[in-house]
Amino acid sequence: MDFKINSGLGCLLCIGLIFGCAEPEDPDIEPAVQEAPDLVRVMYNNPDITTDLGVGLWAWPLPMDYDDDGDYDMVVSCPDAPFNGIYFFENTTGDVDMPVFEKPVKIHEEGDKNIDVSFIDGQPRILIPGKEVLGFKQGELKMVDLFPKEEIHKELKKDRPRFDQWKYVDYENDGDYDIIVGVDDWGDYGWDNAFDDEGHWTNGPLHGYVYLLENKNGEFTNAGRIQAGGKDIDVYGAPAPNFADFDGDGDLDIICGEFLDRMTWFENTGSREKPVYAEGRFLENANGVIRMDLEMIVPVAIDWNKDGFTDLIVGEEDGRVSFLKNTGAVENNMPVFADPEFFQQKPGYLKFGALVTPFSVDWDGDGDEDIIAGNTAGYIGFIENLSGGISPKWAKPEYLKADDEVIRIMAGENGSIQGPCEAKWGYTTLSVADWNGDGLLDVLVNSIWGEILWYENIGTKTAPRLTIAKPIQVDWKGGQTPKPDWFWWDPEPGTLATQWRTTPYAIDWNEDGLMDLVMMDHEGYLCLFERKEMNGDLILEPGSRIFYDDKYSAYNQKNEVMDSTAGALQFNRRLHGGSGRRKFAITDWNGDGRKDLIVNSFLNVDLMLNTGQNDGSIIISNQGKMAERDLVGHTTSPTVVDWDNNGIPDLLIGAEDGLFYYMENKDYKKPQ
């Protein structure tokens, strides 16, 4: 086949931007704490466990024998900050279903989405949209032009697909290799704020199409969309098409992914030379339709365990990778796959999903600080501190339960303002405090819904046990319960509904012995909801906008200024899907006796100092970024820790990649 190879400065720049070769990186070389006042990743420091194999936000798996030792390793591309890169997880176990992989080694500095592996004569070939990448293993990268991706994109309603996946396949068994392209189309879906008053999505669905680029004498031509059941294949976005003989009858079938959590089976009812595809059906086994734990899934077909049956390796949004074993059985003309199982690795960096939202607290009453955290998937995790001290040894995260059921808050069909494609996300963000004054730590949670809940601890100080969530109660003085204007649903009377994905910070702000709540209200202003006792009951007063910024009155979700005049602190002036998304911690950072704010920002976190009071307002002065390391794609989430038990609050940040970043406090001045 004759391909055109790019050359010159433009090509070299393209290669550098997409991959950027780097020396291998060993996670062990980075300590838990360093002298310089900047952020370092926290390690598990626990060789006695295995953890879920994972990169940062969004895993694009490229299974292959990377080190040419005869077994399959896992290579994973991570396209998002701050864990951006392509990583090699070495398999030292051999050809088994579930090897325990080594910790990741970074083999390319820049990760990429829409990167796929195809196998030609048993060798991996790496494609990105419109191009093949040569020299992937060797690091001497060259780009080969295959077909202009714009020729596909122009046929879509939205000509810049989010998923644009290219693979080699000998489609009609004629001895040369064609290209299969899976693209999604968001043109009918739009994105934001399209629910009616009954919670029905009024825009269209996501689309996911599969194209055949036929190889004719070394040149590729667009043969159009592949059909199944007499119509274009059209899955719910992100098609990730895989062609293989999954059912063992000698021809190539198709399994597609989607933007959500399922995979669709298209049986080839024709022949190897003249494929004809039946209408799609969701993959299922004896337990029902197979669903991945999260969404934005990326399935890749490979006979992983070399047993003669083509399996599926699936990456997910939180950076984890699963194995779906093809059992070899065929039922109802469909191959039977086992339920997904997450691959394991030797412990490296401490991680809990993606966009992790930590809160540091002694959850189990043993005298050291543990971590309670939320994440994009809507779980709440307990990460136990096993050692105490400045560099703790951490246990593998455990999901918290309420009434013995794992807590998981998800949007479902209509809980996200950005539509039903976000059904599997929850974006839990939280604080931990004795909310009801019984001496036990409870958990307060906000999520993708914007509804503030609390989980009561009905256990003991050393053995917490949560019961089913209850809404926070506010005395709205007989008025209607407020809500953001774009909520299609009405909150129950006396509850608290505010902007999504924002921290509900429980603290005794006025030091009267009652736990108050500091958080954003329905219009994005930071408020104090003061706690009162009335007739033996604890209630919250409506929020008071007591926080006053001395320079800027309004920000967006990344703490970028939207109004350069002093005024009441509006944490986020944006609306709809751009609203909320603010995470913060409260502490006396500099030792002056006043409670300051540490808030998520465009780079890592910003310090907003409490400079005093004026006529009942708390005067806040934005000091800007607290460190130099870039942790942000969407948002970060700060908390404070005191691992060295010296009475000085240090900083811990949950980042986009689901990892934790520590910084020692160099600004604190203890009173003399």
Side-chain angles (χ1 to χ4, degrees), residues 284-517:
E284 61 182 7
N285 57 24
N287 296 320
V289 172
I290 297 174
R291 292 181 179 271
M292 306 306 297
D293 190 57
L294 202 44
E295 55 180 280
M296 290 173 67
I297 65 172
V298 183
V300 178
I302 187 173
D303 181 4
W304 172 255
N305 53 11
K306 302 180 182 178
D307 64 356
F309 304 110
T310 302
D311 310 299
L312 292 170
I313 307 297
V314 184
E316 301 189 36
E317 181 256 6
D318 62 1
R320 294 186 292 177
V321 180
S322 293
F323 174 54
L324 279 72
K325 181 178 181 177
N326 186 337
T327 66
V330 177
E331 296 181 6
N332 193 23
N333 296 322
M334 179 184 291
V336 178
F337 288 85
D339 287 335
E341 187 173 0
F342 286 114
F343 284 116
Q344 297 293 292
Q345 67 168 79
K346 294 180 180 179
Y349 298 128
L350 187 67
K351 177 176 168 62
F352 184 62
L355 277 72
V356 62
T357 57
F359 192 91
S360 183
V361 66
D362 183 6
W363 179 247
D364 54 9
D366 64 355
D368 52 36
E369 293 184 32
D370 311 299
I371 297 173
I372 303 295
N375 61 21
T376 62
Y379 292 113
I380 300 174
F382 165 46
I383 310 176
E384 184 180 0
N385 183 338
L386 297 173
S387 68
I390 189 61
S391 297
K393 175 182 178 180
W394 299 99
K396 188 174 181 176
E398 298 178 9
Y399 294 142
L400 287 188
K401 297 181 178 180
D403 290 346
D404 299 321
E405 294 289 332
V406 170
I407 296 171
R408 188 176 187 187
I409 300 172
M410 292 187 289
E413 284 292 315
N414 51 25
S416 170
I417 188 62
Q418 294 180 162
C421 80
E422 300 197 347
K424 290 296 283 278
W425 284 326
Y427 292 107
T428 39
T429 179
L430 52 86
S431 64
V432 180
D434 178 9
W435 184 244
N436 58 353
D438 65 355
L440 301 177
L441 294 173
D442 311 300
V443 181
L444 280 72
V445 183
N446 191 9
S447 69
I448 200 165
W449 283 90
E451 179 182 25
I452 314 305
L453 305 172
W454 72 290
Y455 290 89
E456 183 182 2
N457 183 355
I458 59 173
T460 66
K461 288 185 177 180
T462 57
R465 183 171 178 268
L466 301 179
T467 190
I468 192 168
K470 294 175 272 193
I472 294 293
Q473 298 295 313
V474 180
D475 180 12
W476 294 113
K477 313 299 182 185
Q480 186 175 1
T481 301
K483 66 174 185 176
D485 287 342
W486 50 90
F487 276 21
W488 65 265
W489 55 277
D490 292 321
E492 292 294 322
T495 62
L496 181 56
T498 185
Q499 295 189 12
W500 69 338
R501 301 161 62 173
T502 58
T503 306
Y505 205 96
I507 184 173
D508 183 4
W509 178 267
N510 52 17
E511 301 179 6
D512 64 355
L514 301 178
M515 198 61 62
D516 308 305
L517 182 67

Side-chain angles (χ1 to χ4, degrees), residues 634-656:
H634 291 79
T635 183
T636 59
S637 185
T639 188
V640 292
V641 300
D642 186 14
W643 291 340
D644 54 7
N645 201 30
N646 66 355
I648 297 175
D650 301 310
L651 177 63
L652 184 70
I653 301 176
E656 182 99 347

Side-chain angles (χ1 to χ4, degrees), residues 446-628:
N446 191 9
S447 69
I448 200 165
W449 283 90
E451 179 182 25
I452 314 305
L453 305 172
W454 72 290
Y455 290 89
E456 183 182 2
N457 183 355
I458 59 173
T460 66
K461 288 185 177 180
T462 57
R465 183 171 178 268
L466 301 179
T467 190
I468 192 168
K470 294 175 272 193
I472 294 293
Q473 298 295 313
V474 180
D475 180 12
W476 294 113
K477 313 299 182 185
Q480 186 175 1
T481 301
K483 66 174 185 176
D485 287 342
W486 50 90
F487 276 21
W488 65 265
W489 55 277
D490 292 321
E492 292 294 322
T495 62
L496 181 56
T498 185
Q499 295 189 12
W500 69 338
R501 301 161 62 173
T502 58
T503 306
Y505 205 96
I507 184 173
D508 183 4
W509 178 267
N510 52 17
E511 301 179 6
D512 64 355
L514 301 178
M515 198 61 62
D516 308 305
L517 182 67
V518 177
M519 74 172 308
M520 289 167 59
D521 68 10
H522 60 291
E523 293 180 332
Y525 290 89
L526 187 65
C527 291
L528 170 63
F529 292 80
E530 190 175 355
R531 203 76 170 279
K532 299 290 186 182
E533 187 172 0
M534 182 179 296
N535 299 324
D537 294 327
L538 294 175
I539 63 166
L540 283 180
E541 294 286 300
S544 298
R545 298 173 179 176
I546 67 168
F547 299 95
Y548 188 95
D549 193 300
D550 65 356
K551 300 185 186 72
Y552 317 112
S553 58
Y555 296 84
N556 67 10
Q557 73 274 23
K558 293 187 178 181
N559 215 46
E560 297 168 317
V561 174
M562 295 188 70
D563 192 330
S564 297
T565 57
L569 178 55
Q570 191 175 18
F571 250 0
N572 193 352
R573 183 170 284 182
R574 296 189 64 193
L575 309 176
H576 312 130
S579 68
R581 304 170 185 256
R582 298 309 311 269
K583 316 296 194 305
F584 65 95
I586 299 174
T587 189
D588 179 6
W589 182 255
N590 58 4
D592 65 0
R594 293 188 288 262
K595 300 180 183 72
D596 308 306
L597 302 175
I598 300 174
V599 305
N600 69 293
S601 71
F602 66 93
L603 185 66
N604 43 70
V605 294
D606 288 354
L607 176 62
M608 304 184 80
L609 284 179
N610 177 347
T611 62
Q613 296 191 41
N614 183 17
D615 195 23
S617 293
I618 305 297
I619 309 303
I620 300 296
S621 181
N622 189 349
Q623 305 298 298
K625 64 184 180 181
M626 297 183 68
E628 297 299 325

Side-chain angles (χ1 to χ4, degrees), residues 86-157:
I86 299 180
Y87 295 85
F88 163 49
F89 296 81
E90 184 182 1
N91 177 0
T92 59
T93 310
D95 295 324
V96 298
D97 289 355
M98 298 297 294
V100 175
F101 292 90
E102 298 296 312
K103 289 173 284 190
V105 173
K106 184 183 281 191
I107 57 174
H108 293 291
E109 192 64 30
E110 294 292 326
D112 193 26
K113 66 175 185 176
N114 296 317
I115 182 170
D116 284 283
V117 61
S118 311
F119 288 90
I120 307 299
D121 298 326
Q123 294 301 309
R125 304 276 289 272
I126 304 299
L127 272 65
I128 61 174
K131 302 176 185 294
E132 181 173 0
V133 182
L134 302 182
F136 181 79
K137 286 187 180 183
Q138 297 78 20
E140 300 173 358
L141 302 174
K142 294 181 179 179
M143 296 294 177
V144 175
D145 285 332
L146 301 177
F147 187 86
K149 61 185 180 181
E150 294 77 14
E151 293 299 308
I152 303 289
H153 299 173
K154 71 181 183 182
E155 299 184 18
L156 308 175
K157 290 185 178 180

